[in-house]
Amino acid sequence: MAGLIDTVAWVHLDQGRILGVRSRGKRLFYIPGGKRDGAESDHETLLREVREELTVALVPETVAHVGTYEAQADGYPAGTMVRMACYTADFHGTLSASSEIEEMAWLSLAEKERTAPVDHAVFEDLAAAGRLR
């Protein structure tokens, strides 16, 4: 294996759609989140990344693990995998694109091809559970 990129992501659903973000200069959307800094825990990384990308504060005591997914990392050499631990959580504030985020979108199951490969299994699991339309 060429390598593993370890990430966390915030699964935020509203009216049967999932929040996706697109970084500046990129074509694909991804579930908000990112890589840890140093020895950060999943929760610490999640809280920091969501605050940096979307200007909202997650409520730590509401963070709940949804699942962990792996797939080929988009834009990396073959064999480079991304592992994404997904969490839900309540938040305070108003969602707003910040930092490196160019665009936010509410995505349906039919739009999963607009997202990074690791997100596809998340979309399918959420749809199978009746949470994503």
Side-chain angles (χ1 to χ4, degrees), residues 32-104:
K35 297 180 264 189
R36 69 188 82 247
D37 282 344
E40 279 183 325
S41 69
D42 279 8
H43 287 191
E44 290 167 332
T45 304
L46 185 69
L47 298 176
R48 178 184 52 75
E49 284 285 345
V50 170
R51 183 180 63 251
E52 288 174 2
E53 292 182 355
L54 298 168
T55 72
V56 297
L58 297 184
V59 180
E61 59 272 14
T62 67
V63 173
H65 187 250
V66 173
T68 300
Y69 302 85
E70 285 190 20
Q72 169 65 40
D74 182 58
Y76 286 83
T80 303
M81 303 297 287
V82 61
R83 177 186 301 136
M84 184 172 71
C86 295
Y87 297 87
T88 58
D90 296 337
F91 70 96
H92 297 296
T94 302
L95 292 168
S96 177
S98 180
S99 187
E100 75 272 11
I101 304 305
E102 186 168 339
E103 183 181 5
M104 296 186 318

Side-chain angles (χ1 to χ4, degrees), residues 9-21 29-32 66 84 86-88 104-109 111-112 115 119 122-124 126 131-133:
W10 180 44
V11 173
H12 182 54
L13 297 157
D14 187 30
Q15 298 180 14
R17 294 182 182 263
I18 188 169
L19 180 63
V21 295
F29 284 84
Y30 64 89
I31 298 170
V66 173
M84 184 172 71
C86 295
Y87 297 87
T88 58
M104 296 186 318
W106 292 100
L107 304 170
S108 68
L109 177 61
E111 297 171 290
K112 80 175 182 181
T115 68
D119 294 355
V122 179
F123 275 56
E124 291 165 7
L126 291 169
R131 299 180 66 198
L132 184 68
R133 58 178 171 88

